[in-house]
Amino acid sequence: MPTVEDVPTAPGCLPGIGHLHHLVGDRLGFLESLRREGPLVRVRLGTAPVYVVTDPALVHQVQSSKARSFGRGRQFQRLAALLGNGLITSDGELYHRQRRTVQKAFTVAHIERYVTAIHRQAEQVCAGWEEGRPVDVLHEMKALSVAVMAGTVFSGRMTDRVLDQVVRVLPVIEKAAVERPMMPEVVDRLPLPFVRRGDEAMARMRAVVGEALEACRDREPVDGAAGDVVACLLAARDPDTGRPLDHDLVCDEIIALLVGGAANVPTMLAWTWFRLALRPGAEERVLAEIAALDGAPTMADLDGGMPYTRAVMFEAMRLHSVQLVTQRTVAAVELGGVMLPSGTDTAYSMHSLHTDPRLFPHPKVFSPERWLPDSGWEPVRHAFVPFGGGRFKCVGDNFACAAILATMVAVGARWRLGIPPGLRVGVSVREPIPGPKGLRLVPHPVRSAARGTRSPH
């Protein structure tokens, strides 16, 4: 059986730095190019080899059918030094205990309650926009998502002062969380400006989360809402000792949720508005579905009452995906006919899978219609994994979809967003999902006689 020594190395490897220059210069293009080299490709981060999986069937094996042979990879182990041992970075039994605890706050009943709050907060945000005055869409969506996560995690018990501090430090932490894992470990100990900024931002985040957590011990949830994430974490008990969870571990978990929840949803929303602005016909169909509602959407609306809007969301998720996810073998395992020894670093790129022309016809074209039931097309099995899969699948996947759709309803009921003359939008790879740079769109009022035509349930 072939071994890791038989796996082809991606072109352009340089002594000492490996493929880091490609990851810095054209990261997305480089990740897309790997699928031409085969289902398993060696990439070097400095001198350390990482075996990138490009075939969706093999990605599924890593995530699910052979998941017991894989643990968290280099990326997450490096992140633990920055973010602590929350759900994003933990592994083994600790991860499973944390996941079971946090899942209690993301049941369908909880999400339905969150949807109403998200819709209300989104209405408040976009109510401050002015007709014809460009808005920084990503900035607005990030501020909204932090408020939403704070409301979800703390049920309104996080003060505005603490919330403002979280908003300020979060972008610095997001950039550090993407860039640091790709650097040699020694970088963490060097007095470099970007290292110092990340460490200082994380220290501030830990301080304000600790302050908010202490306040929650003495303050009831707003509107009597019970079962938020903080309540679940404070009520959890160590299965071995019966004691409450350690304060630092609870802080780690809250930070993981804030960073994870407030990073990707706003990026997805910003790209969605941009894509719709480029396709007026698609925008009209979304606005028509929104106009048929009467106020905040219900879970029934989000699950099946807005088919085209859901298709737009899926297509935005496909085109704008997480760059790279790493895992490490914890036992020898066969993958794609190659025997990987224990301790082998592997990775897969959601972005590369979702833009593979072998899996998605015309992959760079924004085409929500492909997701509609009557399109005659179905995605290749395991090819569309926007939230990952298996035991490490995002615990808040259903919440994220509900948050995106509820926000689209709130904004689309009031505004359509147009492209100003001369707009040039870049792409930043310094976030988990590459985000838009310079995206400023112009609000124009929506005037529709169709509003208020919701059919009785």
Side-chain angles (χ1 to χ4, degrees):
M1 177 178 290
T3 68
V4 289
E5 300 303 322
D6 301 305
V7 174
T9 298
C13 185
L14 297 178
I17 65 171
H19 296 93
L20 286 174
H21 60 299
H22 288 304
L23 291 168
V24 172
D26 181 18
R27 186 176 304 170
L28 300 183
F30 176 67
L31 293 174
E32 291 173 13
S33 74
L34 298 179
R35 54 187 178 238
R36 297 196 296 266
E37 307 304 320
L40 200 60
V41 186
R42 182 190 295 108
V43 169
R44 292 193 179 275
L45 302 181
T47 59
V50 177
Y51 296 86
V52 180
V53 185
T54 66
D55 180 85
L58 297 186
V59 170
H60 176 68
Q61 290 182 26
V62 173
Q63 293 175 336
S64 300
S65 61
K66 297 183 179 180
R68 290 183 179 274
S69 297
F70 291 88
R72 292 291 199 190
R74 166 195 175 101
Q75 170 190 21
F76 299 98
Q77 292 169 348
R78 292 291 312 283
L79 275 177
L82 181 72
L83 300 181
N85 295 308
L87 201 59
I88 291 178
T89 58
S90 62
D91 202 351
E93 181 56 30
L94 173 61
Y95 169 80
H96 291 295
R97 290 205 306 265
Q98 290 171 307
R99 187 178 180 91
R100 287 193 295 269
T101 298
V102 172
Q103 277 180 325
K104 296 175 184 177
F106 289 108
T107 63
V108 173
H110 281 98
I111 292 175
E112 186 148 21
R113 174 166 57 82
Y114 298 150
V115 163
T116 302
I118 293 167
H119 182 267
R120 182 171 61 248
Q121 288 174 314
E123 283 186 319
Q124 292 171 355
V125 168
C126 69
W129 298 351
E130 299 178 21
E131 180 179 359
R133 183 174 182 176
V135 295
D136 184 329
V137 181
L138 183 58
H139 175 79
E140 295 286 297
M141 294 299 102
K142 279 186 177 291
L144 171 62
S145 288
V146 172
V148 164
M149 286 306 300
T152 303
V153 172
F154 291 95
S155 287
R157 292 172 291 176
M158 180 180 279
T159 66
D160 289 342
R161 183 184 65 80
V162 170
L163 191 60
D164 288 343
Q165 293 183 67
V166 171
V167 171
R168 284 200 295 271
V169 300
L170 196 59
V172 182
I173 295 172
E174 288 176 12
K175 290 178 174 60
V178 172
E179 298 298 327
R180 295 267 282 273
M182 294 190 181
M183 303 292 180
E185 197 166 343
V186 67
V187 168
D188 291 345
R189 299 188 293 273
L190 297 177
L192 301 172
F194 78 93
V195 173
R196 186 178 65 252
R197 285 194 296 271
D199 290 344
E200 290 173 351
M202 193 62 227
R204 190 64 198 141
M205 171 72 89
R206 186 168 296 280
V208 297
V209 166
E211 178 184 336
L213 181 59
E214 288 305 315
C216 284
R217 297 180 189 275
D218 304 317
R219 184 181 301 173
E220 290 297 320
V222 173
D223 298 328
D228 63 10
V229 176
V230 166
C232 291
L233 290 169
L234 293 178
R237 294 295 181 267
D238 186 289
D240 298 324
T241 66
R243 294 178 178 176
L245 298 184
D246 180 77
H247 174 84
D248 288 342
L249 184 57
V250 175
C251 284
D252 287 349
E253 197 56 71
I254 293 170
I255 289 168
L257 289 167
L258 287 173
V259 172
N264 295 340
V265 167
T267 301
M268 198 58 57
L269 282 164
W271 281 123
T272 299
W273 299 127
F274 179 60
R275 294 286 182 176
L276 289 175
L278 292 173
R279 273 202 57 187
E283 181 188 50
E284 288 295 336
R285 294 183 68 172
V286 168
L287 295 182
E289 287 188 345
I290 292 173
L293 303 179
D294 184 17
T298 66
M299 287 299 291
D301 294 325
L302 301 184
D303 287 340
M306 305 169 62
Y308 193 77
T309 306
R310 286 181 64 86
V312 166
M313 177 181 68
F314 288 145
E315 186 70 345
M317 287 180 175
R318 184 187 69 80
L319 284 168
H320 306 284
S321 307
V322 171
Q323 302 170 54
L324 201 65
V325 177
T326 65
Q327 293 192 234
R328 177 174 290 169
T329 59
V330 295
V333 60
E334 178 273 325
L335 191 67
V338 176
M339 182 57 68
L340 305 180
S342 180
T344 301
D345 283 312
T346 67
Y348 65 91
S349 170
M350 296 179 190
H351 167 83
S352 181
L353 283 178
H354 295 169
T355 56
D356 189 335
R358 299 169 299 181
L359 307 175
F360 297 92
H362 310 293
K364 296 302 178 74
V365 175
F366 177 70
S367 178
E369 291 75 15
R370 75 174 85 225
W371 298 99
L372 297 176
D374 59 356
S375 70
W377 172 84
E378 289 186 7
V380 174
R381 194 179 181 198
H382 312 311
F384 185 58
V385 287
F387 296 101
R391 62 196 179 103
F392 290 132
K393 185 179 182 182
C394 175
V395 70
D397 54 345
N398 293 326
F399 169 77
C401 290
I404 291 170
L405 292 172
T407 303
M408 291 180 68
V409 169
V411 176
R414 181 184 290 263
W415 304 106
R416 64 173 71 238
L417 297 175
I419 297 178
L423 178 70
R424 299 184 66 179
V425 178
V427 178
S428 169
V429 294
R430 299 185 69 187
E431 291 85 31
I433 294 177
K437 293 193 297 185
L439 179 57
R440 298 180 67 84
L441 298 179
V442 180
H444 301 288
V446 169
R447 299 180 178 89
S448 173
R451 288 201 55 75
T453 59
R454 180 198 291 271
S455 299
H457 292 292

